[in-house]
């Protein structure tokens, strides 16, 4: 078992939020991951993005590392 799914962008239109769209997408991703023997689903969220933190937290993802960047 190996492999990682990295979510690079996840966006739900504001008019479609709070309707289970993101949860359904994540459930479908988990099904595919299980079939493909993927052992980890990961994403990066900006510290100030409270909406994304809440959304990913509600579907079971947990913070695991802190990344330090310097943009030039």
């Amino acid at each position: 078992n190996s492999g990682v799914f990295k979510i690079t962008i996840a966006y739900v239109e504001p008019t479609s939020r709070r309707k289970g769209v993101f949860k359904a997408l994540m459930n479908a991703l988990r099904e595919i991951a299980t079939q493909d023997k993927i052992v980890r689903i990961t994403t990066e969220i900006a510290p100030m993005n409270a909406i994304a933190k809440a959304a990913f937290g509600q579907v079971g993802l947990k913070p695991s590392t802190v990344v330090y960047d310097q943009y030039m």
Side-chain angles (χ1 to χ4, degrees):
N1 291 342
S2 64
V4 175
F5 273 167
K6 182 171 184 180
I7 301 168
T8 57
I9 188 166
Y11 181 80
V12 176
E13 288 287 335
T15 56
S16 296
R17 292 179 187 164
R18 314 294 267 161
K19 297 179 181 177
V21 173
F22 183 67
K23 184 177 181 179
L25 288 170
M26 289 300 297
N27 286 339
L29 180 62
R30 282 190 186 94
E31 286 182 29
I32 295 167
T34 300
Q35 292 169 6
D36 291 351
K37 309 259 190 280
I38 300 296
V39 297
R40 182 175 174 220
I41 297 173
T42 186
T43 191
E44 293 180 15
I45 302 170
M48 65 289 244
N49 192 338
I51 293 172
K53 286 181 183 180
F56 280 104
Q58 289 172 0
V59 296
L61 275 76
K62 309 249 185 281
S64 64
T65 60
V66 176
V67 176
Y68 290 84
D69 290 321
Q70 181 177 20
Y71 292 93
M72 307 303 284

